[in-house]
Amino acid sequence: MPTDVTVARAINAALRDAMAEDERVVVFGEDVGPLGGVFRVTDGLAAAFGDERCFDTPLAESGIVGTAIGMAMYGYRPVVELQFDAFAYPAFEQIVSHVAKWRSRTRGRMGLPLVIRIPFGGGIGAVEHHSDSSEAYYAHTPGLQIAVPSCAADAYSLLRAAIASEDPVVFLEHKKLYWSEHGQITPQPSPFGRAAVRRRGTTATIVAYGAVVGTALAAAREAAARGWDVEVIDLRTLVPLDEETVVESARRTGRVLVVHEAQGFCGVGAELAALVAERCFGRLKAPVRRVTGFDVPYPPPRLERFHLPTVERLVTALAELHGEWDAGVPALPPPGPAEAAGEPFLLPDLGEGLVEAEIVRWLVSEGQFVEVDAPLVEVETAKSVVELPSPHRGLVSRLHGGVGDSVAVGAPLVTLLPDGTATATLPSGGTATRPSGPSLVAVEAAPAVAAAPPASGRRTPLYGPRGAVVRKVETSRREIPHVTVWVDADATGLLAARRRAAAAARPGLLGLLAWFALDGLRRFPVLNGRVDPERQEIVEAAEVNLGLVVQGERGLVIPVLPAAQALGPDALVAGVRRVVESARTGGGGYRVSGGTFTVNNFGGFGVDGSTPIINHPEVAMLGMGRLTDRPWVVDGGVRPRAVTQLSLTFDHRVCDGDVAGGFLRHVADLVERGALPSDDAPGA
C-alpha cells in the first residue's frame, strides 16, 4: 500500500482495498467506470474489478441513490459518487425520505450500509452548481452520518470506516484537496465521532473541518507572531459530532472561532456556537465568533476569493477575540529576493481537468501590466474551458508555454513581476516599462510577444470571416441562456407535394422552413426580436429580417432577407434561393446584420438534430434535421414515413416553454399538413 499519497489517491486506495476484501462492495455513478470519474478518483477500479462492480450510470442522481438503496437492502454495500455537490440535489428526496429513515422505519432491525460520496466546496474556479457546501442539509437530517476529511490519512481511514458501517454515510470530499494535499495513510479504519486537535494552544480555539483546516492552521501560525497561542480542532465528522473535544478546548482557552466555507445562516457553525454557548458560557472570555462564506449564492470564479474564509479574515476575527479591536490584519512581510525577481503564477487545481490543462488562448502578452483579476489565459480541462484571472497586480515578464501545450497542475503559467516594478527585461531581449496608466505598456528593442508557436501543427488565425463567427458565438454563449426544444414531424405529404410542383417553382427545404417560420412568428411575435440589457426590456421587431444559415466557400455565414413578412410566397421562395446561392458562392449583394430571427437546415449535413448557438442579438433559431424513413403510426398501423426533427433554440429570458412549445408545434403541424407556400396557404 502506498504511504505518501494525495487525497484523491487515498480515496482510491480505500475503495480498492474495500473492494478486494469484500465482494459485496460495489462502486457506481456518473463516469466512474473506464474514465475513472471527473476527478479520476476511481481510476483503475473498473479494470481491476470488472464492470459489474465498478460501472457508469445514466445522468440521474435520484436513480443512482434509489438503486443503491435497493442494493443495500439486498445485501450489497454500494458506494455511489454524485459528481458534484449541487448535482446531488435531485437525489435529496431519496436521501432524506428513504436513506436516512430506513433504520427508524424498521424500528432498528435493519441498517442500510450505503456510502454517498459527494465532491464539494469551492476554491477551484468552477462554474455555478460546482462549488456548493451543502453539509448543513445533511447534518440536519437524523439518520445520516457525515464525514468531512481534511487530509489523506483521514480520507482513507474515514472512508474505510464508512464502507464498514451498517448505517448510511454522506462522505464529503473537498475538491480543492484532491491533488493539493499529500500525506501518510495507514490501513486501519478510523472511528467516527472523534475530532483531531491539529495544533495545541492556550488562548483561543479554532474549530474547522475540510479544506479550511489548512486555512485555520495558517492563521494560527500568523497569530503566533502576535503572541496568541491558538488551538486548531479538525472535526473530521459532523455527525456524530465530537462535542467533548470542542467543549473541553473552549473551557480551557475561553475564546472560540468557528470556520467553514458554507453560508453562515443556519450553518454547522451556528450549531457549534450554540453548543459552546450552552455548555461553556461561564468560561468564555469573548462571544463566539464565526468566519464563513457569505449568505449569497456561490459567486463566479473571479469573486470566490472574497467569499471564502481567508487567513486575513481569520486573523482579524482572532484579534477581536483577544480584545485587540483595532489590531487588524498583520502587515505582510516585505518581498524576498525570489518575489522581487518575479513570482510564477502556477496552474491551480481546477477540479475539472485533474492533473493538467491545455492552453487555449493567451489573453496577455509579455511586457503587459495587469491588474488584480485581469484575465490571463484560457485553459481547457476535461470538462470545460476556464478563464484564469491574475492573482495580483504586476508586470507579465514571461509566458510559460504556447497555445496547445499541456500544463501540469502546479506548473508555472505566467511569471509576474511585483507591483512597483519599473522596468523589466523580457525573454525576447527587449524591455518593458510600467506606464502611469493601468494597462498600457511601452516596449523597447523588441515587441511584446505571446508564447512561441508549437514546433509543428497547423495554426489558423481567427480573423476575417472566421473571426467574426468566433466573436459572435462567444458573445451569444456568454449573454444568452440557451434552451432547445424539439419534435419529430411526418413530412411525407410535404415531400410529395414538393415533388408534384413544377421544377422552376419547386421551393427548397430552407425556403419551406422560412415560410412556416413566418407563419409561426405571426402567432408568437416575442420570438422575433432581441433583449435590451441596458433598459432591461424585450424588444419585438416590427419586421422579420430573416437570417438564413449557409455554409459558404469561406465558412459559416448568415445572410439576411429583410422584411420577409411582406413577401408573397413566390417572392419569398425566390428571395431565399437568391440570397442562399449568393452567400454559398461568395457573390455578395446581401446583408449580414440586422437579423431578427434565423432558420437553419442542418439536415443538409446528414444529422438528425442540433442545439445551435443563437445568432446574437436575436432570441431564437428554428432548425430542421435530415429527412429519413422511420416507422410511424398512421391510422392505427405502423408504416415507413419520411420524418424530420424540428428544433427551436430560444432565449429563456424572453419566454418560457409554453411559447416555445406552441411555436414549434405550430410549425410541425404545417409540415405535417403538407401544404406548399401559396396565397391560400398559411402565412399568406
Side-chain angles (χ1 to χ4, degrees), residues 470-483 529-538 613-620 649-654:
V470 168
R471 290 187 294 273
K472 175 80 76 170
V473 297
E474 285 179 340
T475 301
S476 181
R477 293 297 289 177
R478 183 172 60 248
E479 296 185 5
I480 298 176
H482 288 61
V483 181
R530 60 185 178 87
V531 172
D532 186 342
E534 297 295 328
R535 302 180 63 175
Q536 288 294 293
E537 294 177 344
I538 299 171
I613 297 175
I614 295 172
N615 186 25
H616 184 275
E618 297 169 16
V619 297
T649 299
F650 65 98
D651 184 338
H652 212 328
R653 295 174 297 179
V654 305

Side-chain angles (χ1 to χ4, degrees), residues 117-186:
R117 294 180 42 245
I118 305 178
F120 87 114
I124 63 169
V127 295
E128 188 180 23
H129 305 309
H130 291 67
S131 298
D132 283 14
S133 293
S134 49
E135 61 269 23
Y137 298 142
Y138 305 110
H140 183 72
T141 305
L144 298 176
Q145 302 174 88
I146 317 298
V148 194
S150 68
C151 59
D154 281 354
Y156 180 89
S157 61
L158 289 175
L159 184 54
R160 290 300 308 271
I163 297 172
S165 175
E166 295 300 323
D167 291 296
V169 177
V170 175
F171 199 85
L172 298 172
E173 305 164 5
H174 202 292
K175 299 184 289 289
K176 186 178 179 180
L177 298 179
Y178 272 143
W179 302 101
S180 61
E181 292 293 324
H182 290 71
Q184 303 286 327
I185 62 175
T186 56

Side-chain angles (χ1 to χ4, degrees), residues 356-420:
E356 65 180 9
E358 180 180 321
I359 298 173
V360 175
R361 179 172 61 141
W362 284 107
L363 304 175
V364 294
S365 57
E366 292 175 350
Q368 182 176 339
F369 182 80
V370 295
E371 296 284 351
V372 174
D373 287 335
L376 296 175
V377 62
E378 286 182 357
V379 298
E380 184 172 6
T381 69
K383 292 281 284 186
S384 63
V385 175
V386 181
E387 186 179 279
L388 300 181
S390 175
H392 50 254
R393 305 176 73 198
L395 199 65
V396 178
S397 67
R398 184 178 180 185
L399 305 180
H400 298 270
V403 173
D405 289 350
S406 292
V407 181
V409 169
L413 271 175
V414 182
T415 296
L416 294 170
L417 297 178
D419 188 20

Side-chain angles (χ1 to χ4, degrees), residues 437-475:
S439 60
L440 299 176
V441 65
V443 180
E444 301 175 356
V449 294
S456 62
R458 180 179 179 182
R459 297 169 63 87
T460 303
L462 293 176
Y463 58 75
R466 189 62 198 168
V469 171
V470 168
R471 290 187 294 273
K472 175 80 76 170
V473 297
E474 285 179 340
T475 301

Side-chain angles (χ1 to χ4, degrees), residues 2 18 68 95 146 248 272 332 334 349 368 382-383 402 408 423 429 431 455 462 517 575 590 599 605 634 672 676:
I95 296 171
I146 317 298
E248 186 280 327
L272 291 166
L332 294 175
D349 181 357
Q368 182 176 339
K383 292 281 284 186
T423 303
T431 59
L462 293 176
Y590 54 84
V599 294
F605 298 110
V634 180
E672 294 186 339
L676 296 182

Side-chain angles (χ1 to χ4, degrees), residues 186-546:
T186 56
Q188 290 79 23
S190 179
F192 278 28
R194 185 179 299 171
V197 179
R198 301 298 184 190
R199 186 184 193 276
R200 294 288 179 179
T202 58
T203 67
T205 299
I206 299 178
V207 184
Y209 54 89
V212 293
V213 171
T215 308
L217 289 169
R221 290 191 292 269
E222 291 280 349
R226 304 294 297 266
W228 310 324
D229 187 17
V230 178
E231 185 157 297
V232 177
I233 296 176
D234 178 0
L235 292 177
R236 302 172 73 247
T237 62
L238 304 182
V239 182
L241 177 66
D242 186 356
E243 296 184 1
E244 296 309 315
T245 296
V246 175
V247 168
E248 186 280 327
S249 180
R251 287 174 174 170
R252 180 164 39 82
T253 65
R255 303 177 181 90
V256 177
L257 172 62
V258 182
V259 185
H260 58 66
E261 282 189 18
Q263 293 85 349
F265 185 76
C266 291
V268 172
E271 177 65 25
L272 291 166
L275 169 69
V276 172
E278 290 169 359
R279 297 185 57 181
C280 312
F281 184 78
R283 305 288 291 274
L284 293 179
K285 301 172 185 177
V288 179
R289 288 296 309 272
R290 288 180 292 163
V291 174
T292 69
F294 297 107
D295 294 326
V296 297
Y298 197 87
R302 290 191 188 181
L303 299 178
E304 68 176 354
R305 69 190 185 93
F306 300 104
H307 178 78
L308 298 174
T310 60
V311 171
E312 291 76 16
R313 288 176 63 192
L314 268 62
V315 172
T316 298
L318 289 170
E320 295 174 355
L321 283 172
H322 285 85
E324 300 187 21
W325 305 101
D326 298 324
V329 179
L332 294 175
E339 290 173 297
E343 179 179 353
F345 170 52
L346 308 180
L347 177 66
D349 181 357
L350 301 171
E352 306 276 11
L354 305 172
V355 296
E356 65 180 9
E358 180 180 321
I359 298 173
V360 175
R361 179 172 61 141
W362 284 107
L363 304 175
V364 294
S365 57
E366 292 175 350
Q368 182 176 339
F369 182 80
V370 295
E371 296 284 351
V372 174
D373 287 335
L376 296 175
V377 62
E378 286 182 357
V379 298
E380 184 172 6
T381 69
K383 292 281 284 186
S384 63
V385 175
V386 181
E387 186 179 279
L388 300 181
S390 175
H392 50 254
R393 305 176 73 198
L395 199 65
V396 178
S397 67
R398 184 178 180 185
L399 305 180
H400 298 270
V403 173
D405 289 350
S406 292
V407 181
V409 169
L413 271 175
V414 182
T415 296
L416 294 170
L417 297 178
D419 188 20
T421 301
T423 303
T425 301
L426 305 178
S428 59
T431 59
T433 304
R434 176 183 170 178
S436 58
S439 60
L440 299 176
V441 65
V443 180
E444 301 175 356
V449 294
S456 62
R458 180 179 179 182
R459 297 169 63 87
T460 303
L462 293 176
Y463 58 75
R466 189 62 198 168
V469 171
V470 168
R471 290 187 294 273
K472 175 80 76 170
V473 297
E474 285 179 340
T475 301
S476 181
R477 293 297 289 177
R478 183 172 60 248
E479 296 185 5
I480 298 176
H482 288 61
V483 181
T484 299
V485 293
W486 55 88
V487 65
D488 289 340
D490 179 4
T492 305
L494 181 66
L495 293 181
R498 183 171 175 266
R499 284 193 296 268
R500 289 193 298 269
R506 185 176 300 158
L509 291 178
L510 192 60
L512 291 172
L513 195 63
W515 181 255
F516 298 145
L518 290 173
D519 194 72
L521 292 175
R522 290 185 176 90
R523 290 164 171 78
F524 302 94
V526 72
L527 296 173
N528 182 56
R530 60 185 178 87
V531 172
D532 186 342
E534 297 295 328
R535 302 180 63 175
Q536 288 294 293
E537 294 177 344
I538 299 171
V539 182
E540 294 182 15
E543 296 183 329
V544 180
N545 295 328
L546 194 64

